[in-house]
């Protein structure tokens, strides 16, 4: 009866969904200034581009939830992309990266990309969990190494990819590119693991208080390794989707600074940098907000440097608010 008397709390509703409100306000404002924003063609471009970053974010948010960080996904995506792209080139292509090399089915190329990402993630997770190296250092090292390996594997962009491989990203169902559906599948899996699986509960506990989690019988090392492996798998998948979507893989530019977009999206969506707090619905709102900002600045003709300044400010402000909000946490 008491709950019925209270009725709908509009203020509480807005407070709980503030990022979605911000998203709507941004979309309405951009549509008013640039009507081209709210067109099918532009929105399709927006969600396609953000789907690749969204896949990475679905991995990175787990690392942040565990009170860690992952700076490697962009470079891991680049390495995975060039390897998968080289295997997806037609066998009879004259400009093939590896003449006479094997040509694999599209799904196998994607699996290879994910395996590469998963291996890097396992190594980073082991360094974080078992050697107690700070996640910032471990994943920064993986970023530098993977970017260098990508450039060593191919000194130039790998292009002319098999259409079957490209269809995993560009084939449209009801006018929506496949890469969007793949992102949604990844998002749902991540949400399910976070809310319905013991693994998700373990990572919440580890992020909240690692020692308390250990006392409660949680295998902290194993769960941290699995967390970074998941992030690596998602980076590998994103790399394959990036190559499939664009039709080429550039070891120098693919995935460049994608990890920062992922960290920003997760933080904007309410994932606490101190660990232990994350909601996948919030992560989705963060992904879309950053996507709208990126797309809107392009439509407004803003300089790319201005875009980077705005992203940097968003990350700093979001972290400041997060730290203030959770200042009372032990």
């Amino acid at each position: 009866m008491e709950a019925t008397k209270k009725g709908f709390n509009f203020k509480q509703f807005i407070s709980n969904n503030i990022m979605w409100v911000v998203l709507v306000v941004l979309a309405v404002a951009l549509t008013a200034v640039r009507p081209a924003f709210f067109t099918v063609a532009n929105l399709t471009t927006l969600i396609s581009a953000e789907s690749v970053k969204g896949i990475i974010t679905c991995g990175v948010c787990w690392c942040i939830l565990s009170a860690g960080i992952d700076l490697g996904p962009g470079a891991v995506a680049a390495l995975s992309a060039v390897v998968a792209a080289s295997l997806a080139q037609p066998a009879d292509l004259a400009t093939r990266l590896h003449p006479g090399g094997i040509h694999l089915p599209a799904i196998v190329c994607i699996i290879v990309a994910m395996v590469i990402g998963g291996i890097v993630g396992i190594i980073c997770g082991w360094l974080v969990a078992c050697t107690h190296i700070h996640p910032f250092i471990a994943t920064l090292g993986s970023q530098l190494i993977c970017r260098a390996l990508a450039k060593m594997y191919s000194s130039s962009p790998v292009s002319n990819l098999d259409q079957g491989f490209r269809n995993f990203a560009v084939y449209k169902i009801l006018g929506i590119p496949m890469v969007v559906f793949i992102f949604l599948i990844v998002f749902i899996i991540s949400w399910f693991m976070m809310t319905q699986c013991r693994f998700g509960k373990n990572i919440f506990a580890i992020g909240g208080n690692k020692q308390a989690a250990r006392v409660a019988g949680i295998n902290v090392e194993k769960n941290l390794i699995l967390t970074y492996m998941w992030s690596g798998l998602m980076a590998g998948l994103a790399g394959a989707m990036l190559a499939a979507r664009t039709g080429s893989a550039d070891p120098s530019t693919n995935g460049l600074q994608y990890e920062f977009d992922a960290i920003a999206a997760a933080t904007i969506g309410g994932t606490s940098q101190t660990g232990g707090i994350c909601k996948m619905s919030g992560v989705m709102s963060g992904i879309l907000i950053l996507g709208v900002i990126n797309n809107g600045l392009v439509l407004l003709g803003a300089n790319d440097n201005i875009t980077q300044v705005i992203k940097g400010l968003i990350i700093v402000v979001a972290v400041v608010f997060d730290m203030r909000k959770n200042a009372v946490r032990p």
Side-chain angles (χ1 to χ4, degrees):
M1 288 296 292
E2 185 67 28
T4 305
K5 287 180 181 179
K6 284 185 177 180
F8 178 71
N9 191 327
F10 180 75
K11 185 177 179 180
Q12 186 65 37
F13 175 80
I14 294 297
S15 177
N16 292 339
N17 298 277
I18 187 63
M19 287 299 105
W20 290 102
V21 174
V22 171
L23 176 63
V24 171
V25 170
L26 280 173
V28 171
L30 279 170
T31 302
V33 176
R34 286 287 186 274
F37 171 80
F38 204 72
T39 61
V40 173
N42 184 63
L43 292 179
T44 301
T45 300
L46 189 158
I47 60 174
S48 298
E50 294 309 309
S51 289
V52 175
K53 295 178 183 177
I55 292 171
I56 290 178
T57 306
C58 286
V60 170
C61 69
W62 283 84
C63 298
I64 301 175
L65 174 62
S66 71
I69 198 73
D70 192 351
L71 299 178
V76 173
L79 176 59
S80 301
V82 293
V83 173
S86 69
L87 297 175
Q89 287 182 309
D92 58 351
L93 183 67
T95 57
R96 207 168 191 269
L97 178 62
H98 300 300
I102 58 173
H103 168 72
L104 297 178
I107 187 65
V108 178
C109 295
I110 294 171
I111 291 173
V112 168
M114 294 182 69
V115 168
I116 291 171
I119 291 172
V120 175
I122 289 172
I123 294 171
C124 287
W126 179 82
L127 288 171
V128 171
C130 300
T131 71
H132 306 293
I133 292 176
H134 195 284
F136 182 92
I137 300 300
T139 59
L140 178 61
S142 74
Q143 178 193 100
L144 298 173
I145 292 169
C146 288
R147 182 67 66 179
L149 289 175
K151 293 178 180 179
M152 290 167 64
Y153 187 83
S154 176
S155 59
S156 59
V158 182
S159 56
N160 298 308
L161 309 186
D162 184 80
Q163 188 58 43
F165 176 74
R166 293 209 62 201
N167 282 342
F168 270 90
V170 299
Y171 183 79
K172 293 184 178 181
I173 299 176
L174 301 176
I176 301 173
M178 275 291 291
V179 67
V180 178
F181 290 104
I182 291 174
F183 162 57
L184 291 176
I185 291 170
V186 165
F187 177 84
I188 291 169
I189 292 172
S190 193
W191 169 83
F192 183 82
M193 290 196 303
M194 194 172 286
T195 59
Q196 306 299 319
C197 297
R198 179 176 295 179
F199 174 61
K201 294 179 175 63
N202 289 346
I203 302 305
F204 273 103
I206 292 169
N209 189 315
K210 190 180 294 184
Q211 292 307 315
R214 199 184 301 277
V215 171
I218 295 172
N219 188 328
V220 173
E221 288 74 21
K222 175 185 174 182
N223 281 278
L224 285 177
I225 291 172
L226 290 175
T227 297
Y228 284 87
M229 183 186 76
W230 171 255
S231 184
L233 287 170
M234 293 303 96
L237 176 60
M241 291 299 101
L242 183 60
R245 179 175 175 266
T246 59
S248 67
D250 190 327
S252 298
T253 61
N254 274 177
L256 196 61
Q257 297 186 349
Y258 276 24
E259 59 273 7
F260 298 119
D261 281 358
I263 293 168
T267 306
I268 290 169
T271 304
S272 174
Q273 291 294 321
T274 57
I277 298 176
C278 180
K279 287 178 64 177
M280 287 307 300
S281 59
V283 171
M284 176 66 85
S285 69
I287 292 168
L288 294 176
I289 286 172
L290 270 189
V292 168
I293 290 172
N294 286 333
N295 184 266
L297 290 173
V298 170
L299 290 177
L300 293 171
N303 185 288
D304 185 60
N305 293 324
I306 298 297
T307 303
Q308 298 305 320
V309 169
I310 292 174
K311 285 183 185 178
L313 288 173
I314 288 172
I315 293 175
V316 172
V317 171
V319 171
V320 168
F321 274 103
D322 169 66
M323 297 299 288
R324 289 177 63 85
K325 182 175 64 176
N326 298 296
V328 296
R329 292 181 65 208

